[in-house]
Amino acid sequence: DWNAYKKLYVNLNTDLSLIGDNKADANRIENSIALTPRFESQFFSLYSPIGFRQLSGFNWGAGFRLGPIYAGSGTILSNLFSDDSKSADVYVGVKIPIYYSKGRTKKIKDRDGDGIVDNEDKCPDIAGIAENNGCPKEEIKDTDGDSIADDLDKCPNEFGIAENGGCPEVIDTDGDTIPDDLDKCPNNFGIKENGGCPKVVDTDGDAIPDSLDKCPNEFGVAENGGCPKIEVLVANSEKAKEVEKTLGSYAKIINFSSGKASFTSETFSALKSIETILQEYPNAKFNINGYTDSVGSEKSNQLLSEQRALAVRLYFVERGITASRLNAVGFGEINPIATNATAAGRQTNRRVEIKVAE
């Protein structure tokens, strides 16, 4: 919480989930961050939080305090100005402050009367000077004799100059105005943009310097930060069918406990493999379709299939996949891929399928 100017403040707050990635059936908070500018006086406050929440995205709110009463909403402005808002809230409360009288001051202790308070004075019982941390002048130590006290000298055992913090004169072997301790090529005349080396290095030859290239060993394009151009995945294309086939082979391993939306233990390796494919195509959207076996009522199976699809979606969102790229839908007990007459068949039907969305 930073007092920017007089009664103007800026507050930065974040909430982070500490629940393990693979922990099933656990309550989690949404990761969030908010920046709140605020006008604050003794009896009145006005503030407006601007932030991002993991599953609901951008939020913009407003609130006020009048005496002990405060009220507001973390999403009121984003809901007013946007049709894409995914959350809404409102709050009201009472705040009981405790005020201190203006006459209450802490007595400053300075036993030796040298103008340096005792808790900052290295010699609290002997009058001294500020340059020597409260000790007498004759107590100043200057081991290297460069007229810079040891406690202020970055190189107390080497004769130096004040401009360099008490260290010897800056060394620049190749004369490129970049000190040797900051020069990646101290013996070769170079340029600052390349860390002191002679010329811009471009290992992969894509005209993007290695210092700015996110993929310095792969030929790429500027609009992708020097990395190869991202392949666009189009629904029903040959490439999409190939990706769906691979996703299907992993999705077969995504199984659920009977009557539940919790994953079986062998499922997590498959989810990890699917996550890698989703990250490989960051511009593509996917449908997550949930299914159940025929045990139970049709209504309960429909609800359970939706919960299973959402469980898979939440797993990927918690690992950085953008929520808007994933659409979770439940289909209940329809479209079985195995017989429901056997336990093995029913387990196969308790599944999730992942398709490339149009």
Side-chain angles (χ1 to χ4, degrees):
D1 197 65
W2 177 46
N3 184 194
Y5 178 73
K6 294 185 179 180
K7 296 182 180 181
L8 296 179
Y9 295 78
V10 179
N11 180 274
L12 179 66
N13 182 75
T14 182
D15 292 319
L16 300 175
S17 174
L18 300 180
I19 299 297
D21 287 347
N22 297 328
K23 188 174 180 63
D25 298 326
N27 290 324
R28 295 179 174 85
I29 64 170
E30 292 177 296
N31 295 327
S32 65
I33 186 169
L35 184 70
T36 306
R38 180 177 84 257
F39 172 84
E40 180 82 35
S41 65
Q42 185 174 3
F43 297 104
F44 177 75
S45 299
L46 183 65
Y47 51 90
S48 180
I50 304 169
F52 184 87
R53 191 171 296 161
Q54 182 180 2
L55 299 182
S56 57
F58 174 77
N59 292 301
W60 184 15
F64 71 95
R65 176 182 63 83
L66 187 61
I69 300 173
Y70 65 92
S73 167
T75 58
I76 186 170
L77 295 179
S78 52
N79 277 298
L80 284 174
F81 295 110
S82 173
D83 294 328
D84 298 326
S85 182
K86 298 182 178 64
S87 65
D89 68 280
V90 65
Y91 56 83
V92 64
V94 177
K95 184 178 184 179
I96 308 299
I98 299 175
Y99 296 106
Y100 292 94
S101 63
K102 292 183 179 179
R104 253 179 107 179
T105 57
K106 183 177 180 181
K107 187 176 180 181
I108 297 175
K109 294 183 179 181
D110 179 17
R111 294 199 299 269
D112 55 16
D114 57 5
I116 304 168
V117 296
D118 288 352
N119 61 349
E120 297 179 2
D121 196 331
K122 289 187 177 180
C123 302
D125 296 309
I126 306 173
I129 57 176
E131 292 80 359
N132 201 26
N133 296 316
C135 290
K137 185 175 181 179
E138 58 270 14
E139 296 294 328
I140 294 177
K141 292 185 178 180
D142 180 18
T143 304
D144 55 14
D146 57 6
S147 301
I148 303 169
D150 285 359
D151 58 340
L152 301 176
D153 198 331
K154 293 181 179 179
C155 303
N157 297 309
E158 298 177 78
F159 190 94
I161 57 177
E163 293 81 0
N164 201 28
C167 291
E169 188 176 358
V170 176
I171 299 175
D172 179 18
T173 304
D174 55 15
D176 58 6
T177 71
I178 302 170
D180 285 3
D181 58 338
L182 301 177
D183 197 331
K184 293 181 179 179
C185 303
N187 297 309
N188 297 291
F189 190 94
I191 56 176
K192 183 177 181 181
E193 292 77 7
N194 201 31
C197 291
K199 64 178 181 179
V200 175
V201 178
D202 181 17
T203 304
D204 54 16
D206 57 5
I208 303 169
D210 285 3
S211 59
L212 302 175
D213 198 330
K214 293 181 179 178
C215 303
N217 297 309
E218 297 178 80
F219 190 93
V221 293
E223 55 266 30
N224 199 29
C227 291
K229 189 175 182 179
I230 297 174
E231 184 177 359
V232 177
L233 199 60
V234 180
N236 299 318
S237 66
E238 291 302 318
K239 184 63 178 179
K241 292 177 182 178
E242 180 183 336
V243 171
E244 287 180 350
K245 184 177 180 180
T246 304
L247 290 171
S249 65
Y250 290 122
K252 289 179 181 179
I253 309 175
I254 300 177
N255 290 314
F256 300 88
S257 302
S258 180
K260 297 181 179 179
S262 56
F263 302 120
T264 55
S265 58
E266 68 273 10
T267 294
F268 291 103
S269 61
L271 289 170
K272 189 66 178 176
S273 298
I274 294 173
E275 178 191 344
T276 301
I277 297 175
L278 299 185
Q279 291 175 337
E280 186 177 347
Y281 300 96
N283 295 327
K285 295 184 178 182
F286 297 86
N287 291 326
I288 302 174
N289 303 327
Y291 298 88
T292 70
D293 56 29
S294 61
V295 177
S297 68
E298 185 176 336
K299 182 177 179 180
S300 64
N301 282 337
Q302 175 62 36
L303 178 61
L304 182 58
S305 68
E306 293 172 1
Q307 292 173 341
R308 287 173 175 173
L310 287 171
V312 174
R313 181 178 184 269
L314 178 60
Y315 176 90
F316 294 133
V317 170
E318 288 181 340
R319 283 153 184 80
I321 304 299
T322 304
S324 60
R325 294 178 54 208
L326 305 174
N327 180 42
V329 180
F331 291 92
E333 60 189 58
I334 66 173
N335 298 329
I337 58 175
T339 177
N340 280 306
T342 65
R346 289 190 294 273
Q347 181 176 354
T348 301
N349 289 331
R350 297 192 294 269
R351 72 194 189 280
V352 164
E353 296 178 354
I354 303 177
K355 305 288 184 181
V356 177
E358 295 185 1

